[in-house]
Structure formats: C-alpha cells, structure tokens
Amino acid sequence: MEEIAFRLNPTQGLVGMDKTTRVGIRLRDLMAERAALAPVLADHHARLERISWAVYRVQRAILTPTTVARRIVAIETGSWAAMEAAIDRLSTTYQVEELGGVRRAAHRRRGALLPTQEEFYVAAPYIGPEKHRSSFWRMWAQAG
C-alpha cells in the first residue's frame, strides 16, 4: 500500500511527510535503519519483483489545498523492471525526475498558484486500469 501511495504522490508515506523536503517518510526507509528487519525488507522487495506493475499516467487537479482530484490510468503493464524501462523511454519526451528513489516523467508540473494541474508518468504496482472520482473532469477543467 505504501509503495503505491508514495509513487502516485511523493508527499505520501505511512509515517507522514517531512515538512522541509515535502517528501513522504516511508516505513520501509525507517525499517532499513534496523539490521534485524533486513529479512522483512528482502521479502518485501522479492514480492515487488513478483507482482504485476504498470506505468500510470497520473493527473491531479488542485483547486485549493484541501480540494484535490486525481485520475490514474494504466497505460502499460508488465514486470517492475519493464515498467521502469518504460519510464526511461519517456525521458526522450518528458523530463524524468527522481524523488525519494522514484523516477517520474513530468508532463505538466504543479504551479505555485492555485488552482493548478499536474500530470506525470510513474511505475507502480498494478491496482487497476483506471481510477478517478466522477467529478474529476469538471475539477480538471476548473484547475486548467
């Protein structure tokens, strides 16, 4: 769950968000600091290698700090390695940025003023072909 949440939104983490960097504090990073938990993290990594992944197009409409709508669409599915390679291929069209160890291909960056939109591509564990609330397109148009 944390892997998906962080990849779709880098401010997410099961432990919270670092207010200085605005990057999510992930439980797995805290666990990595404890040698006794290495086998648990190895099992987690092995599971991530076994499951299906997707390259998601993530669109976010931000109207106010608390009024945000998100749409995710799986544009390609496959292994973790194949989906990371797909993000690399997108680097010929979009700028690929790394944040918290996750690479995202930015199509539209979030503006400093609200309302705003953001749009990027990221590899994440596969959770379905498309997900968004019914009001997304109305909010997307308002944010544009």
Side-chain angles (χ1 to χ4, degrees), residues 11-142:
T11 65
Q12 297 296 309
L14 290 181
V15 183
M17 179 183 67
D18 182 310
K19 301 290 187 209
T20 304
T21 63
R22 298 207 33 85
V23 174
I25 301 167
R26 292 177 288 179
L27 180 60
R28 74 171 178 158
D29 294 338
L30 297 176
M31 291 173 66
E33 296 172 3
R34 298 181 178 249
L37 296 176
V40 174
L41 288 175
D43 286 347
H44 172 67
H45 187 81
R47 181 178 180 282
L48 291 176
E49 293 277 353
R50 287 191 309 270
I51 64 174
S52 294
W53 282 65
V55 169
Y56 284 102
R57 177 183 182 190
V58 180
Q59 295 170 288
R60 194 170 281 114
I62 306 141
L63 302 180
T64 72
T66 58
T67 308
V68 180
R70 181 187 70 201
R71 174 179 182 248
I72 62 169
V73 178
I75 61 168
E76 184 177 346
T77 60
S79 69
W80 185 5
M83 297 303 94
E84 291 293 349
I87 295 296
D88 286 341
R89 286 192 303 276
L90 288 171
S91 69
T92 60
T93 306
Y94 306 109
Q95 183 177 357
V96 174
E97 304 167 327
E98 186 171 322
L99 186 59
V102 175
R103 292 184 345 260
R104 294 169 185 84
H107 176 65
R108 178 177 293 141
R109 287 192 173 77
R110 179 184 302 202
L113 301 175
L114 298 180
T116 188
Q117 299 170 327
E118 86 176 324
E119 185 172 2
F120 61 89
Y121 296 88
V122 67
Y126 182 72
I127 57 173
E130 184 171 354
K131 183 180 175 187
H132 64 89
R133 62 168 90 160
S134 60
S135 61
F136 174 79
W137 290 113
R138 176 183 52 79
M139 294 175 70
W140 181 257
Q142 286 177 312

